[in-house]
Amino acid sequence: MYFKYTLIFSVTFLTSLLASIPFGPINLNVIYTTVQKNKKAGLSFAAAAAMIELLQSFIAIQVSPTYLVPFLDHHLTIIFTSIFLIFFGIFFILKKEKNKKVVLAIEKEYTGFLQFCRGMLIALLNIPTIAFWIAMTTYYRSINLFDIKGDTPYYLIICFISAAALGKLITLSTYALLANRFLPHLGKFKKLLPKLIGILLIMMGLFQMFRIFIFDLAAQIS
């Protein structure tokens, strides 16, 4: 039993850790928040996203792929994800940097909590995370590594979702700490960072739209 517990935790943790490394809306927001606000705000955002990972990984194993996958691959879901990414991309590009001299003390005091709430909201809207965990649990099952699903004992489910959240927390926190570490060396690049993040997010959104074209093309060919 302890071997199974360790196996589920270590494999899920490593998967979450590595999956959180490529640039996406979450880690890009962590970097932006750290650079524009402070380290505390960036870590608060990361903690919120990790908490939502608990929920998303739990949903992925509770709901049958038979019902959830068609929803996640539905055109409307893909369009929603695309609009979400493009909207935030445009937001970053058009956002003007505030003059720090006129920032109120109360904003500094509550910036951690505000970024925590913002992190929860953005992570909730990041629907593809659920699809990712469905794909990974299906893959683990196919190679007979382990089978985690809704009727699995609760302590193994807790092990799975905790590992998923911890992996994301460590990766995002590392992004926040690195952004804070290199902040003094950014110079003029700091002003360009929001626009670069915005361009990346818009490209991701357009790629989601391109998925619809691929699905339609595949359906016509078949």
Side-chain angles (χ1 to χ4, degrees):
M1 179 59 68
Y2 288 108
F3 172 76
K4 188 173 185 179
Y5 183 92
T6 304
L7 176 67
I8 291 176
F9 187 89
S10 57
V11 170
T12 307
F13 170 77
L14 185 60
T15 301
S16 180
L17 192 77
L18 296 176
S20 302
I21 292 176
F23 284 146
I26 305 300
N27 46 26
L28 287 174
N29 268 281
V30 168
I31 294 172
Y32 172 81
T33 301
T34 304
V35 171
Q36 297 297 319
K37 301 292 183 181
N38 50 49
K39 180 175 69 174
K40 177 183 176 182
L43 291 174
S44 296
F45 190 104
M51 284 187 63
I52 298 302
E53 192 84 6
L54 285 170
L55 174 64
Q56 291 170 328
S57 57
F58 181 76
I59 292 174
I61 61 176
Q62 289 294 325
V63 182
S64 171
T66 306
Y67 301 103
L68 194 56
V69 170
F71 167 75
L72 294 172
D73 285 338
H74 195 277
H75 284 12
L76 290 178
T77 306
I78 296 174
I79 291 173
F80 170 80
T81 304
S82 177
I83 291 174
F84 162 69
L85 292 170
I86 293 174
F87 171 80
F88 271 101
I90 295 173
F91 170 79
F92 279 116
I93 291 175
L94 298 181
K95 184 177 176 61
K96 295 181 179 180
E97 186 177 0
K98 294 181 180 179
N99 188 345
K100 291 188 176 182
K101 294 181 180 180
V102 298
V103 175
L104 299 176
I106 190 170
E107 183 179 345
K108 292 182 178 180
E109 181 180 353
Y110 289 103
T111 187
F113 174 73
L114 291 174
Q115 295 308 318
F116 183 86
C117 295
R118 179 168 165 267
M120 292 188 71
L121 176 62
I122 294 178
L124 277 171
L125 294 173
N126 193 31
I127 297 176
T129 301
I130 301 176
F132 168 79
W133 283 116
I134 291 176
M136 292 312 302
T137 52
T138 302
Y139 174 72
Y140 298 149
R141 189 180 305 117
S142 69
I143 62 174
N144 296 318
L145 188 61
F146 60 81
D147 187 6
I148 191 89
K149 50 189 178 182
D151 57 356
T152 301
Y154 71 91
Y155 49 86
L156 292 178
I157 292 178
I158 292 174
C159 172
F160 174 79
I161 64 175
S162 299
L166 183 61
K168 171 151 283 189
L169 177 63
I170 290 179
T171 303
L172 295 182
S173 297
T174 301
Y175 269 117
L177 294 173
L178 287 174
N180 185 72
R181 170 66 178 82
F182 291 104
L183 181 58
H185 306 290
L186 290 178
K188 294 181 179 179
F189 180 74
K190 180 181 177 181
K191 293 183 178 180
L192 295 176
L193 182 62
K195 290 180 172 54
L196 291 175
I197 291 176
I199 292 172
L200 282 173
L201 290 172
I202 290 174
M203 290 176 64
M204 291 176 190
L206 293 176
F207 176 76
Q208 291 295 322
M209 287 290 190
F210 185 68
R211 285 180 61 201
I212 298 178
F213 171 76
I214 293 296
F215 287 158
D216 289 341
L217 181 62
Q220 291 176 10
I221 294 175
S222 61

